[in-house]
């Protein structure tokens, strides 16, 4: 009869089991963290768009900067603001 040396233990001691449990917990924690961050990012990017048809502040700020630099005149600025804010009753709108 052949006697096996590590019968029933597969060569693992208490530290090996503790390390295996710890690494499994870290893996699941990392996976949950990645999922939570992805959901937050998706919900944040969905919320940044205009909900009521109004222009985003960044677009209006860009238009204001162009007006301040003299690239566009007052009429073009007003027409741009009305277009960005969703008012299409301006005479120059088609």
């Amino acid at each position: 009869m052949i006697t096996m040396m590590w019968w029933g233990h597969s060569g693992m001691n208490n530290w090996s089991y503790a390390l295996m449990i710890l690494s499994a917990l870290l893996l699941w924690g990392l996976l949950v963290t990645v999922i939570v961050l992805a959901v937050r990012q998706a919900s944040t990017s969905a919320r940044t768009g205009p909900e009521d048809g109004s222009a985003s502040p960044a677009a209006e700020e860009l238009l204001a900067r162009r007006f301040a630099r003299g690239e566009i005149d007052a009429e073009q600025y007003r027409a741009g603001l009305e277009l960005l804010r969703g008012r299409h009753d301006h005479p120059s709108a088609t």
Side-chain angles (χ1 to χ4, degrees), residues 5-26:
M5 188 168 170
W6 297 101
W7 186 264
H9 295 287
S10 68
M12 294 183 66
N13 59 16
N14 290 340
W15 287 108
S16 299
Y17 287 113
L19 184 60
M20 184 175 59
I21 291 170
L22 180 65
S23 63
L25 289 174
L26 286 175

Side-chain angles (χ1 to χ4, degrees), residues 17-55:
Y17 287 113
L19 184 60
M20 184 175 59
I21 291 170
L22 180 65
S23 63
L25 289 174
L26 286 175
L27 176 69
W28 282 107
L30 180 65
L31 184 64
V32 168
T33 302
V34 166
I35 291 171
V36 167
L37 290 176
V39 168
R40 281 188 184 176
Q41 179 65 31
S43 67
T44 301
S45 63
R47 268 189 272 136
T48 57
E51 294 178 4
D52 59 351
S54 63

Side-chain angles (χ1 to χ4, degrees), residues 69-85:
R69 285 192 300 255
E71 295 176 7
I72 57 175
D73 62 3
E75 180 61 30
Q76 290 173 325
Y77 176 72
R78 280 192 293 274
L81 274 180
E82 289 174 357
L83 182 65
L84 288 173
R85 291 180 179 165

